[in-house]
Amino acid sequence: MFDVPVLETERTRLRVHGPDDFPNVLKLWQTEEVYRFIHGKPATEEEAWTRFLRYIGHWHVMGYGYWVVEDRETGAFLGETGFADYHRGIDPFMIGTPETGWVLGPIAQGRGIATEVVKGMLDWAAGALSEKDVVCIIDSRNKGSHRVADKTGFTFFKSGIYHGKELAIYTQSLG
């Protein structure tokens, strides 16, 4: 079993998903402010469950994955962030390159928390991942996530299409 690191930032704690987190994951992925730029529709319970298991499974197979983002002070569930290899059919360069992702519920949006947690996990990745390049893909309309990518050191690489949506692909070298 892989030991998932716990990361702390000024306001958050990033920790492994546990069974008690699933109701929060389902609620998150059924919230319009979350799904509108990702899938365009609320997740079903089955889709959220598959996502939940995929997050946990990444840690065991890849040595990286997604964390729950919680408020350090209150323990409140704020969202999820991490790295994955989804084998997306966007461009061959992405397969085998960790894809950075972040998604926060409305309570945490617009407060700089995404920038804070992405910086924290990139710092961890620089010392922990054997891969030294990471990517992120962002819906072209998602101005908030484009700002987070810019603030955390990502560089625009190229535009692409995935599932009929125009997106931006960003890259970053970790060292």
Side-chain angles (χ1 to χ4, degrees), residues 117-137:
V117 299
V118 172
K119 284 181 179 177
M121 67 182 201
L122 288 169
D123 286 347
W124 169 83
L129 297 184
S130 59
E131 299 87 349
K132 291 304 171 193
D133 293 314
V134 295
V135 298
C136 67
I137 62 170

Side-chain angles (χ1 to χ4, degrees), residues 20-34:
D20 293 342
D21 293 311
F22 182 67
N24 287 319
V25 172
L26 178 60
K27 182 178 177 185
L28 181 71
W29 288 99
Q30 292 182 337
T31 303
E32 184 183 8
E33 293 89 344
V34 171

Side-chain angles (χ1 to χ4, degrees), residues 14-156:
L14 282 58
R15 62 165 177 78
V16 69
H17 288 78
D20 293 342
D21 293 311
F22 182 67
N24 287 319
V25 172
L26 178 60
K27 182 178 177 185
L28 181 71
W29 288 99
Q30 292 182 337
T31 303
E32 184 183 8
E33 293 89 344
V34 171
Y35 68 71
R36 69 179 162 180
F37 293 125
I38 300 172
H39 296 119
K41 65 179 183 64
T44 65
E45 185 169 347
E46 178 183 359
E47 290 165 338
W49 181 250
T50 299
R51 177 182 295 277
F52 178 76
L53 294 176
R54 187 170 55 190
Y55 289 160
I56 297 166
H58 262 85
W59 286 107
H60 298 285
V61 175
M62 305 301 296
Y64 57 80
Y66 266 64
W67 291 273
V68 166
V69 178
E70 65 182 17
D71 184 291
R72 272 182 63 179
E73 195 172 298
T74 67
F77 181 94
L78 301 177
E80 302 169 312
T81 191
F83 301 97
D85 184 351
Y86 293 128
H87 285 247
R88 297 186 195 270
I90 298 171
D91 192 298
F93 90 94
M94 288 186 67
I95 293 178
T97 303
E99 180 183 329
T100 311
W102 55 90
V103 59
L104 298 174
I107 191 171
Q109 293 178 6
R111 299 174 39 206
I113 291 175
T115 300
E116 184 178 317
V117 299
V118 172
K119 284 181 179 177
M121 67 182 201
L122 288 169
D123 286 347
W124 169 83
L129 297 184
S130 59
E131 299 87 349
K132 291 304 171 193
D133 293 314
V134 295
V135 298
C136 67
I137 62 170
I138 302 171
D139 184 294
S140 296
R141 302 165 296 157
N142 190 340
K143 296 189 185 331
S145 283
H146 288 283
R147 281 191 300 274
V148 172
D150 290 338
K151 289 179 183 179
T152 57
F154 282 92
T155 303
F156 177 78

